[in-house]
Amino acid sequence: MKKITVPAVREAKGQRKLTMVTAYDAPSARIVDEAGIDLALVGDSLGMVIQGKADTLGVTLEQMIYHTEIVARTAARALVVGDLPFLSFQVSDERTIESAGRLLQAGAAAVKLEGGGRIADRIRALTEVGIPVMAHLGLTPQSIHQMGGYRVQGRDAENARRILDEAKRVQDAGAFAVVLEGMPAALATQITDQLAIPTIGIGAGAHCDGQVLVFHDLVGLSGDRTPTFVRRYADLRVTAVEAVRKFKDDVESGRFPSEGESYH
Ligand code: KIV
């Protein structure tokens, strides 16, 4: 099984569509890997998806390192990307390099960080010391309060221009790919056509060079309300509740465990 590399991701542009799915633990990393997904993203979305928080702001670098270690240990083929959480890269270049370096020591092959022009210098600082960076533009969840909620970005001409300009700046700073989240498909198309690096979309239309979804949304393990852009490919929560309910019934009625399920 050949490991996906950062250059292979860059070279996929215009050749084939890329796929990325979040993984936070060994079971999800194993599934993502076995399905042949290119990139396993240890996203700070884990704050909402598995810690049950309202946003991603409380996720710490230590937590990201813990989950990155687990995913990197499990994924044999997918390129593991570790998300830099809130406050781990905003303060200084030095702090950014230290935070990103710790994610690489935990087994990630690259890091992702949110933000546009403001963090172009951070991207340059990381790439200069050999740390591959995936940028993240548009709806950036760590800026939830600045955006006034999880809102589609770049709907008006001025903001669309700003995001396009940011995309060029993060590319020039050395990013090897960029996530485009929550923006009109026409804007994501324009960015994709004008960049030499791959764009990976989430709620950004079909024209991106690749697509990313949160694992729990994709397999139906999130709550009932998922964003419009999510396609739920399975309903594992219903299946799991049914299985656990059957276990409960079997225990209560004495059908579990059977003789064969007991030691003698
Ligand atoms: O944290 C995350 O899972 C992400 C993806 C939704 C792109 O940033």
Side-chain angles (χ1 to χ4, degrees), residues 20 22 24 41-46 49 56 64 83 112 114 136 141 179 181 200 202 212-214 229:
M20 179 160 83
T22 59
Y24 314 127
L41 171 65
V42 189
D44 65 352
S45 53
L46 65 83
V49 178
T56 59
M64 292 307 300
D83 226 352
K112 176 171 83 57
E114 294 181 14
H136 184 160
V179 168
E181 177 167 0
I200 302 181
I202 176 161
V212 52
L213 280 180
V214 168
F229 59 78

Side-chain angles (χ1 to χ4, degrees), residues 88-150:
S88 70
F89 65 93
Q90 285 89 348
V91 178
S92 66
D93 284 356
E94 289 74 14
R95 181 105 162 247
T96 306
I97 292 171
E98 211 171 291
S99 305
R102 292 194 66 200
L103 288 181
L104 259 64
Q105 285 177 332
V111 298
K112 176 171 83 57
L113 76 179
E114 294 181 14
R118 283 178 300 191
I119 51 96
D121 287 345
R122 301 280 187 267
I123 295 177
R124 192 166 289 111
L126 290 173
T127 52
E128 274 173 5
V129 297
I131 298 177
V133 181
M134 177 178 283
H136 184 160
L137 299 174
L139 193 168
T140 46
Q142 289 174 18
S143 309
I144 177 177
H145 297 303
Q146 196 172 44
M147 294 181 301
Y150 296 114

Side-chain angles (χ1 to χ4, degrees), residues 13 164-165 167-168 171 187-197 199 207:
K13 173 115 188 167
L164 175 60
D165 177 59
K168 289 176 183 167
Q171 171 177 270
L187 173 59
T189 299
Q190 213 181 348
I191 295 172
T192 301
D193 290 345
Q194 294 193 27
L195 291 194
I197 57 171
T199 59
H207 192 72

